[in-house]
Every structure is written in structure tokens, then in C-alpha cells.
Amino acid sequence: MSDPITFDGRVAIVTGAGGGLGRTYALELARRGARVVVNDLGGAVDGTGASSSAADQVVSDVVEAGGEAVANYDSVSTEEGGAGIVRSAVDAFGKVDIVINNAGILRDKSFAKMTMAEMEAVIDVHLKGGFYVSSPAFQVMRDNGYGRFVFTSSASGLFGNFGQANYGAAKAGLVGLSNVIAIEGEKYNVRSNAIAPIAKTRMTEDLLGSFADMVAPDQVTPLVMYLCSEANEYTHEIFTVGGGRYGRVFIGTNTGWFAGTDEVPTVEAVSEHMEEVRDISEYVIPLNNNDEIMLLGQMLAG
Ligand code: NAI
């Protein structure tokens, strides 16, 4: 049996923690000893409106269960909002050790019909929100030599989903952000991972159909708790989690077809080798640009 995971002495920010998945993270972090900033703008699923009641309710649930938390109602979608969220943690609890970037909205539309306003609203909350909160938090973590980030990506970004060009682009972008934070945070003991969850929440209950009742939010919580714990030794990874399944998603590259360097192949030659170009029976998972360049380097060296 491994040691129990606790967050004693740790300070956590959970964005969008007023309901759904975020609420479960805030409650469990606090139950295991963390002091938590419960951030939520309190709007509708499409991001319109605002209310303090969602965050307040979760703070009172935490306190009732014997934990410590403060509410924050800033929007993650502005630089001032992100700074305000991190300031809440520093003012109330003196630091930030854990950030779970979880706040999210939907403005689904097929690509042909999607307006740029619908694109921007979703990019602002998910992708820019990831920057606005994580940038000031990273500074605090770097100074303290400790940090854990969890970014909420989605199967819609990693694999694609009809009607979610804005959301898919934002969610894939968060994986890029997490990857770079993992690389740059390594020497400060800052780890960063992304998850693609599946859970019945107000955001998904109409989308998941009969599947909805088989995927409870609290089945996602244990993996997220592990990723933001001190015990977590993994960084720069993507996990898929929902309905009792805990797995990994990865971005790899295959050996491909090496055409040699004596001459540039013709279009026809590429066409003839497309099966080899696409063959994924052998692959590696590069952990930075150099890893991929090394792969080419080995081929060039013969
Ligand atoms: P939810 O709608 O219950 O939770 C999202 C929360 O974010 C809400 O409480 C909302 O008020 C808050 N929020 C929205 N905009 C905000 C802003 N600008 N600033 C601060 N808070 C804001 O939905 P759910 O499912 O719990 O979503 C959590 C995260 O998980 C989201 O990022 C979502 O995209 C992601 N996700 C969820 C999946 C699922 O199956 N439930 C699947 C894949 C990703």
C-alpha cells in the first residue's frame, strides 16, 4: 500500500470550482488538508452572466466539512482576473502550490456557421484563461521551488469533435502550454500535466445521452488529486479519465520513410511510400523538439 496522499501545508487554486468537476477537486483537496481558493464566475454554460453563489456554496461545503477555503469570483478570461485569482491565494494563504485550470464554457456551432465572437469567447476562457492564471502562479511556484499544474484538455481537442472547432482548438492549445510549463518548470520542481475527462456535469449531461449516468465527476477526482500531489513523479503527460477508466494519451512519431539525401524525392515517390510514411508499428514519444531532431539525426548519420 502506498502512503496516503495529503495536502497538508499546501495551497491550491481550482478555477471553475463552483460546480461539476471543479467542485469535487476543491472538496477533496480541502478534505486532504489543502487550503483552497474556490474560483468561479458563476455564469451559464455558454459563459454569459455571473454570480457569487456557486463559489460561495462550495466554500461553505468545504468549511462545513472542516476544511479551509476562500471564494474568488474573478473571470479567468482576463489578465486582471487571472492576477486576482492568484492574489486571492497569496493574500489569504501566503503562496500557491497547486493550480487546477478547470474553468470552461461551450459555444458549439459547426465550423461553417461559427462566428469569430463564438471562437474568441471560448479561446478567452479556456486557452487564454490558462495563461492568465498560470503565469502569475508560475512566478510564485518558481520562487518557492514547488508547484503542480493540471490543465483540463478534452477528447474534443485531442481527437476532434463535430461542432467544437473553438473548444477543440483551445483544449489542444492547453496541452501545448502544459508541455512547455513542464519543460521550463522542471528545475523548479514544478510539474504540469493535462487531463481529458469524461463526466456528467451541467456542461455534458445533454451531450452524453444514456452514457451520462455511467460517468460520475468523482471518478475523475482521484487521478487529478494524484497529479497535484507531491507524490506525483510524472510531468509533461496527458491522461484520459472517466467512468472508471484511467489511461494515457500520447503524442508520438513513427520511424516514417527516410528518402535519403542524395536527391529530393518526386511527388510520385512520396505517393508510393505513403504507407511507410504513415506506418505506426514503431514509434517514439518525443519529450521536446530535440528528441525529434535526434531521430532525424540518427537517420542522417546512417
Ligand atoms: P461545469 O460547467 O460544471 O464547470 C465549469 C465551471 O467553470 C462552471 O462552474 C463555470 O461557472 C466556470 N466558469 C466558466 N467560465 C469561467 C470564467 N471565465 N472564470 C471562472 N470560472 C468560469 O462543467 P465541467 O464539466 O465540470 O467542466 C470542467 C472542465 O472540464 C471544463 O474545462 C470542461 O471544458 C472540461 N471538460 C469536461 C468534460 C466532461 O465530460 N464533463 C469533458 C472534457 C472536458
Side-chain angles (χ1 to χ4, degrees):
M1 247 322 246
S2 54
D3 291 338
I5 303 281
T6 68
F7 297 104
D8 293 337
R10 296 291 176 207
V11 175
I13 290 171
V14 185
T15 68
L21 288 165
R23 176 176 185 276
T24 73
Y25 306 151
L27 288 171
E28 191 60 17
L29 281 164
R31 201 178 71 77
R32 289 173 181 266
R35 287 170 293 167
V36 183
V37 174
V38 175
N39 158 262
D40 207 292
L41 180 64
V45 173
D46 69 359
T48 54
S51 155
S52 57
S53 58
D56 284 343
Q57 182 59 52
V58 174
V59 168
S60 95
D61 293 345
V62 165
V63 171
E64 201 171 301
E68 243 187 289
V70 294
N72 173 286
Y73 321 113
D74 288 324
S75 173
V76 299
S77 69
T78 66
E79 190 175 350
E80 308 78 65
I85 294 165
V86 173
R87 201 163 46 242
S88 280
V90 173
D91 286 352
F93 305 128
K95 60 174 180 168
V96 185
D97 299 303
I98 295 161
V99 173
I100 304 178
N101 283 289
N102 167 80
I105 63 166
L106 288 183
R107 300 260 173 112
D108 292 0
K109 209 55 95 51
S110 65
F111 188 55
K113 294 188 182 140
M114 185 174 287
T115 64
M116 290 304 109
E118 285 159 343
M119 176 276 286
E120 272 162 17
V122 169
I123 299 276
D124 281 353
V125 173
H126 292 275
L127 185 54
K128 291 194 191 167
F131 278 87
Y132 293 142
V133 177
S134 304
S135 172
F138 185 85
Q139 317 281 340
V140 178
M141 291 174 179
R142 185 195 53 186
D143 292 347
N144 292 338
Y146 184 86
R148 296 286 183 270
F149 283 99
V150 177
F151 286 89
T152 311
S153 184
S154 166
S156 302
L158 298 169
F159 311 126
N161 196 27
F162 190 96
Q164 295 196 311
N166 49 2
Y167 183 79
K171 289 305 205 186
L174 287 173
V175 171
L177 174 57
S178 176
N179 287 344
V180 174
I181 290 178
I183 290 169
E184 296 187 7
E186 188 91 55
K187 64 173 180 273
Y188 307 113
N189 193 15
V190 172
R191 296 187 181 151
S192 184
N193 293 284
I195 60 156
I198 307 172
K200 178 186 179 180
T201 64
R202 69 173 196 171
M203 185 185 274
T204 55
E205 57 190 345
D206 297 336
L207 306 172
L208 289 169
S210 57
F211 203 54
D213 289 329
M214 289 181 271
V215 289
D218 61 12
Q219 290 171 301
V220 174
T221 322
L223 177 70
V224 173
M225 293 301 104
Y226 174 74
L227 293 176
C228 56
S229 73
E230 194 169 345
N232 170 33
E233 48 190 284
Y234 305 106
T235 188
H236 202 163
E237 299 202 354
I238 311 165
F239 298 93
T240 172
V241 50
R245 174 171 172 254
Y246 302 84
R248 185 176 171 195
V249 177
F250 48 87
I251 299 173
T253 185
N254 64 354
T255 308
W257 172 53
F258 184 58
T261 53
D262 292 346
E263 57 189 40
V264 175
T266 61
V267 179
E268 290 74 16
V270 170
S271 161
E272 275 160 31
H273 286 88
M274 279 308 286
E275 259 184 51
E276 229 178 302
V277 168
R278 298 184 60 258
D279 176 23
I280 52 171
S281 53
E282 278 180 36
Y283 63 86
V284 293
I285 303 173
L287 287 180
N288 53 48
N289 286 4
N290 275 347
D291 284 359
E292 200 193 11
I293 290 170
M294 296 275 281
L295 192 72
L296 176 61
Q298 283 163 8
M299 290 176 175
L300 290 169

